[in-house]
């Protein structure tokens, strides 16, 4: 499916940059336009692939290009004030060509955390295309303010978009990695999962895959509301490209049974392995299973079994399935999109920590005011000058 990608804030911009690289690498064709919005000039300069004229600086009058710190209320305010600057870039999107908007933001910071929900409200008011969010949750060691920001942004963003796809940094970080190195790796994981899903809805319906290929409307219908998470599993296969082997393969009958079992087990692995947002799979309302790889490995029976298994796991009757044929690959994979998930312990925990952080902040502020008063006040013994 064709997307207008809007990266809000530093994380959002970097991830959209990475989406562009991935789209080009797999010849996906799912990015129609890529835009970056930020209140920090240096972050916009640091981007590599988003065209310069699609980089929008907001809040210049208030923060002079220095960013909003981690103040997401300020992030929301400057976005509202400068929404016409953002609209200027959106006006260049060939709107009739896109299937949806995708706003990408780190939810723990200031600009993206506060601005992304404001932009979502704005886009929904103007356009008929669905507006999806891709929200990145902060790792638990980032501290109270990031957690509180994320909890507040989550609450607002999920209300304003048609669906919020979530990626949790906490689950994907590796011990012993530098922050920057970690983000580079994590961003690749993000774009691979979400990118494959969106690219799947962008395949031309040629003869041999016509009826089974995933359609963008199936992705949109699965993303009908609420919060989503993605699982992905893959396996290397022989795609018969090397000369000798392919000659041999002509006389070999393709082992359907192996392909069926492989596909079924990939769907299970994708669902039960590491999700972008861990959750109780049983709480999903809707699902979509996409099998990817060389067409001869996209075994109908395997996909169908995997789909049925997911129906049983979720108790949902709304599990869609389809293919994303990638002829030149030596990998077979399964992408599982779970949508409308409600049992998400990580969100409960984030909200709990946020409430504690909010209470502590209020207490510390009150005490600081008291302490300051007692520092200055002499009980009327000394008079101020004026
Ligand atoms: P903003 O520029 O004010 O919107 O804030 P940032 O985007 O810099 O940071 C917001 C949050 O995003 C941080 O708390 C991190 O959790 C996360 N983050 C920052 N940079 C990256 C990145 O490159 N990749 C990922 N996955 N997360 C990031």
């Amino acid at each position: 499916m064709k997307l207008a990608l809007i990266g809000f804030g530093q994380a959002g911009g970097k991830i959209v940059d990475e989406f562009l690289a991935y789209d080009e690498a797999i010849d996906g064709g799912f990015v129609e336009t890529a835009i970056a919005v930020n209140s920090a000039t240096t972050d916009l300069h640091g981007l590599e692939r988003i065209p310069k004229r699609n980089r929008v600086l907001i809040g210049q009058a208030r923060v002079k290009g220095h960013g909003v710190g981690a103040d997401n209320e300020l992030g929301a305010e400057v976005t509202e004030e400068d929404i016409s600057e953002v609209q200027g870039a959106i006006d260049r999107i060939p709107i009739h060509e896109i299937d949806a908007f995708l706003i990408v933001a780190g939810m723990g910071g200031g600009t993206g955390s506060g601005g992304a929900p404001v932009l979502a409200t704005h886009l929904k008011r103007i356009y008929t295309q669905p507006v999806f969010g891709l929200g990145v949750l902060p790792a638990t060691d980032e501290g109270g303010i990031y957690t509180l920001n994320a909890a507040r942004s989550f609450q607002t963003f999920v209300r304003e978009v048609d669906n919020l796809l979530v990626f949790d940094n906490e689950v994907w970080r590796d011990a012993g990695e530098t922050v920057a190195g970690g983000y580079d790796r994590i961003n690749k994981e993000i774009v691979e999962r979400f990118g494959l899903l969106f690219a799947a809805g962008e395949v031309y319906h040629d003869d041999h895959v016509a009826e089974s290929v995933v359609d963008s409307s199936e992705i949109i219908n699965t993303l009908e509301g609420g919060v989503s998470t993605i699982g992905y599993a893959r396996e290397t296969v022989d795609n018969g490209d090397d000369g000798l082997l392919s000659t041999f393969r002509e006389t070999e009958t393709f082992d359907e049974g192996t392909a069926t079992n492989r596909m079924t087990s990939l769907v299970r692995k994708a669902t039960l392995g590491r999700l972008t947002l861990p959750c109780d799979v049983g709480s999903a309302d809707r699902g979509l299973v996409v099998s990817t790889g060389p067409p001869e490995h996209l075994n109908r029976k395997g996909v169908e079994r995997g789909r049925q298994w997911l129906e049983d796991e979720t108790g949902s009757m709304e599990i869609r399935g389809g293919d994303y044929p990638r002829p030149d690959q030596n990998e077979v994979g399964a992408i599982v999109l779970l949508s409308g998930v409600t049992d998400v312990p990580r969100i409960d925990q984030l909200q709990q920590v946020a409430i504690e952080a909010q209470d502590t902040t209020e207490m510390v502020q009150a005490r600081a005011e008291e302490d300051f008063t007692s520092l200055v006040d002499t009980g009327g013994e000394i008079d101020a000058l004026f």
Side-chain angles (χ1 to χ4, degrees), residues 9-11 14 69 106 108-112 136 138 142 146 169 183 186-187 190:
Q10 189 185 11
K14 273 160 55 190
T111 308
V136 177
E142 287 190 50
Y146 292 89
N169 275 347
Y183 283 155
I186 285 177
N187 292 351
I190 294 176

Side-chain angles (χ1 to χ4, degrees), residues 283-299:
S283 75
D285 254 4
R286 283 152 275 125
L288 174 68
V289 176
V290 181
S291 49
T292 76
E296 68 271 22
H297 287 276
L298 300 181
N299 180 275

Side-chain angles (χ1 to χ4, degrees), residues 69-332:
D71 184 345
N72 62 355
E73 283 187 12
L74 184 56
E77 279 170 33
V78 298
T79 307
E80 249 162 44
E81 284 161 15
D82 286 353
I83 200 74
S84 56
E85 310 280 330
V86 186
Q87 183 61 47
I90 291 168
D91 281 340
R92 288 196 294 271
I93 301 173
I95 294 291
H96 53 280
E97 303 270 330
I98 65 162
D99 296 303
F101 292 94
L102 181 69
I103 308 173
V104 188
M107 303 181 82
T111 308
S113 171
V118 173
L119 178 61
T121 314
H122 175 80
L123 293 177
K124 286 221 45 100
R125 217 167 25 218
I126 300 184
Y127 302 103
T128 52
Q129 276 88 349
V131 178
F132 300 127
L134 171 50
V136 177
L137 297 180
T140 49
D141 63 358
E142 287 190 50
I145 177 78
Y146 292 89
T147 306
L148 178 56
N149 282 349
R152 296 185 71 195
S153 180
F154 176 82
Q155 200 153 331
T156 326
F157 206 14
V158 80
R159 191 188 66 201
E160 299 304 316
V161 289
D162 289 292
N163 194 289
L164 184 62
L165 305 139
V166 182
F167 185 92
D168 186 4
N169 275 347
E170 174 66 21
V171 190
W172 289 82
R173 68 198 187 134
D174 264 354
E177 229 172 17
T178 62
V179 173
Y183 283 155
D184 283 350
R185 179 186 55 79
I186 285 177
N187 292 351
K188 288 194 168 62
E189 302 271 13
I190 294 176
V191 301
E192 184 174 31
R193 279 158 183 76
F194 294 100
L196 271 179
L197 174 73
F198 295 126
E202 197 44 39
V203 171
Y204 293 108
H205 293 219
D206 62 21
D207 297 343
H208 63 289
V209 291
E211 80 285 11
S212 56
V213 86
V214 179
D215 197 77
S216 61
S217 65
E218 288 174 294
I219 301 174
I220 290 172
N221 290 340
T222 307
L223 293 173
E224 213 170 36
V227 171
S228 293
T229 180
I230 286 190
Y232 176 51
R234 63 181 165 197
E235 211 172 273
T236 307
V237 288
D238 161 33
N239 69 357
D241 257 2
D242 32 299
L244 263 180
L245 254 181
S246 59
T247 323
F248 167 70
R249 283 169 60 89
E250 277 168 23
T251 55
E252 183 193 40
T253 49
F254 188 77
D255 189 347
E256 287 286 334
T258 310
T260 307
N261 290 340
R262 179 188 290 123
M263 194 47 79
T264 316
S265 100
L266 280 172
V267 173
R268 286 172 190 240
K269 277 188 202 158
T271 314
L272 302 174
R274 194 157 42 158
L275 297 170
T276 58
L277 175 70
C279 68
D280 176 358
V281 171
S283 75
D285 254 4
R286 283 152 275 125
L288 174 68
V289 176
V290 181
S291 49
T292 76
E296 68 271 22
H297 287 276
L298 300 181
N299 180 275
R300 281 284 79 220
K301 214 195 271 175
V303 180
E304 186 44 31
R305 275 201 202 151
R307 208 192 55 73
Q308 274 166 8
W309 172 83
L310 193 59
E311 267 186 10
D312 292 342
E313 280 297 290
T314 56
S316 163
M317 287 293 112
E318 223 184 304
I319 307 292
R320 298 172 169 88
D323 295 343
Y324 174 21
R326 301 179 69 202
D328 306 326
Q329 297 295 304
N330 62 351
E331 273 180 358
V332 178

Side-chain angles (χ1 to χ4, degrees), residues 33-37 44 47 50-56 89 92:
T33 309
I35 295 170
V37 184
L44 287 177
L47 299 169
I50 298 173
K52 287 216 165 59
R53 68 186 203 129
N54 284 358
R55 302 179 193 180
V56 184
R92 288 196 294 271

